[in-house]
Amino acid sequence: MRLKLRIWRQAGPTAAGRLEDYRADDVSPDMSFLEMLDVINEGLIRKGQDAIAFDSDCREGICGMCSLVVDGVPHGPDRGTTVCQLHMRRFKDGDTITVEPWRAKAFPVIKDLTVDRTSFDRIIAAGGYVSVNCGGAPDGNTIPIAKDVVESAMDSAACIGCGACVAACKNASAHLFMSAKIAHLVLLPQGQVERTRRVVNMIRQADADGFGSCSNEGECEAVCPKEIPISNIARMTREYVTAMLVR
Ligand code: SF4
Ligand code: FES
């Protein structure tokens, strides 16, 4: 395939950015989207030009590092898929593809397509540790937890912290991300000790970092590569209201 790409270039956090045009020839349908960007970068490096900066690590959909908005959609057109798992067979010969970074006040651009997501780390740190007030670590199999509860907690723990939910939200809200972290701990016995403190501290930290509120439009759920359900946000709100009442 031959493709035209419009890619966001920005030299640094305070520099002005712009979309620049690139051509990609001989693109195999079997390439991943990031491999296609690697090929463009090899061409730029051969010409002595600055390579396009973008984040990636595992390239198998589990680390949450890749963070590209493809044609206006965080992680691109495939549902439940990270952009590192998006393949070029999804596009047609002659297509023009626009690639931009996550856009949110709390995720400032570092360079080109890379953004600073340490605000997510601060939310996780605000959530704190899990206390286990006992002697030796108990065997996991001796703590009775119903299978449907375990599965629900595990589904929430699938969040990879990529930030696509924030990038898709017009309020740049981190509610889906936080609600996944809250749900996966609050459903389990191990998450009970800090239950009230955790939710209050995480929401306070998100406010301090400039994330917005949730207006229940569901864009976050639609782009989440791990298909975290928006119902978790209702659970988090219940946890927050209860925490404020009992504190
Ligand atoms: S909730 Fe989904 S979109 Fe948001 S950080 Fe977690 S995995 Fe990414
Ligand atoms: S590079 Fe790890 S999830 Fe995409």
Side-chain angles (χ1 to χ4, degrees), residues 56-59 61-66 82 84 160:
S56 73
D57 190 359
C58 70
R59 299 201 174 195
I62 54 172
C63 76
M65 278 306 287
C66 54
T82 53
C84 61
I160 53 175

Side-chain angles (χ1 to χ4, degrees), residues 102-110 114-120 161-164 166-167 174 209 211:
W102 283 178
R103 294 199 189 277
K105 183 178 158 198
F107 291 160
V109 171
I110 298 171
T114 58
V115 299
D116 181 352
R117 285 174 281 183
T118 49
S119 50
F120 265 14
C162 64
V166 176
D209 269 309
F211 292 102

Side-chain angles (χ1 to χ4, degrees), residues 64 74-75 82 102 107 117 120 156 158-168 173-181 219-221 223-229 232:
H75 286 305
T82 53
W102 283 178
F107 291 160
R117 285 174 281 183
F120 265 14
S156 300
C159 165
I160 53 175
C162 64
C165 46
V166 176
S173 167
H175 273 48
L176 194 67
F177 163 72
M178 287 191 291
S179 70
K181 304 302 173 195
E219 298 278 353
C220 52
E221 184 185 68
V223 301
C224 174
K226 297 300 159 186
E227 302 188 305
I228 302 292
N232 274 348

Side-chain angles (χ1 to χ4, degrees), residues 129-180:
Y129 297 99
V130 174
S131 295
V132 180
N133 300 324
C134 61
D139 184 324
N141 292 324
T142 64
I143 303 172
I145 310 169
K147 186 169 186 303
D148 57 334
V149 175
V150 170
E151 302 237 326
S152 188
M154 193 61 201
D155 287 347
S156 300
C159 165
I160 53 175
C162 64
C165 46
V166 176
C169 175
K170 67 177 186 182
N171 307 326
S173 167
H175 273 48
L176 194 67
F177 163 72
M178 287 191 291
S179 70

Side-chain angles (χ1 to χ4, degrees), residues 27-245:
V27 174
S28 159
D30 297 328
M31 279 180 181
S32 76
F33 200 84
L34 300 189
E35 283 168 343
M36 181 273 297
L37 288 180
D38 288 339
V39 171
I40 292 182
N41 270 346
E42 281 166 13
L44 290 175
I45 291 165
R46 268 197 296 273
K47 285 190 261 175
Q49 295 176 7
D50 194 22
I52 301 157
F54 65 92
D55 262 332
S56 73
D57 190 359
C58 70
R59 299 201 174 195
E60 52 187 38
I62 54 172
C63 76
M65 278 306 287
C66 54
S67 51
L68 304 178
V69 176
V70 179
D71 286 340
V73 182
H75 286 305
D78 285 347
R79 246 189 128 92
T81 306
T82 53
V83 72
C84 61
Q85 293 283 283
L86 174 66
H87 284 81
M88 297 315 294
R89 65 183 79 95
R90 191 66 170 73
F91 301 91
K92 298 191 306 296
D93 184 41
D95 274 356
T96 299
I97 307 171
T98 304
V99 190
E100 297 168 89
W102 283 178
R103 294 199 189 277
K105 183 178 158 198
F107 291 160
V109 171
I110 298 171
K111 187 181 178 198
D112 298 335
L113 302 169
T114 58
V115 299
D116 181 352
R117 285 174 281 183
T118 49
S119 50
F120 265 14
D121 296 338
R122 286 191 289 275
I123 292 175
I124 293 296
Y129 297 99
V130 174
S131 295
V132 180
N133 300 324
C134 61
D139 184 324
N141 292 324
T142 64
I143 303 172
I145 310 169
K147 186 169 186 303
D148 57 334
V149 175
V150 170
E151 302 237 326
S152 188
M154 193 61 201
D155 287 347
S156 300
C159 165
I160 53 175
C162 64
C165 46
V166 176
C169 175
K170 67 177 186 182
N171 307 326
S173 167
H175 273 48
L176 194 67
F177 163 72
M178 287 191 291
S179 70
K181 304 302 173 195
I182 296 288
H184 104 245
L185 289 171
V186 92
L187 287 166
L188 299 175
Q190 295 90 337
Q192 299 311 307
V193 181
E194 291 86 3
R195 182 174 186 155
T196 52
R197 196 173 69 205
R198 181 184 307 117
V199 65
V200 171
N201 289 347
M202 288 177 82
I203 289 177
R204 276 197 187 141
Q205 187 62 48
D207 288 345
D209 269 309
F211 292 102
S213 295
C214 173
S215 46
N216 276 317
E217 291 176 36
E219 298 278 353
C220 52
E221 184 185 68
V223 301
C224 174
K226 297 300 159 186
E227 302 188 305
I228 302 292
I230 199 171
S231 56
N232 274 348
I233 296 180
R235 183 194 303 279
M236 182 175 78
T237 304
R238 286 195 300 276
E239 289 293 320
Y240 183 73
V241 171
T242 308
M244 294 309 279
L245 289 173

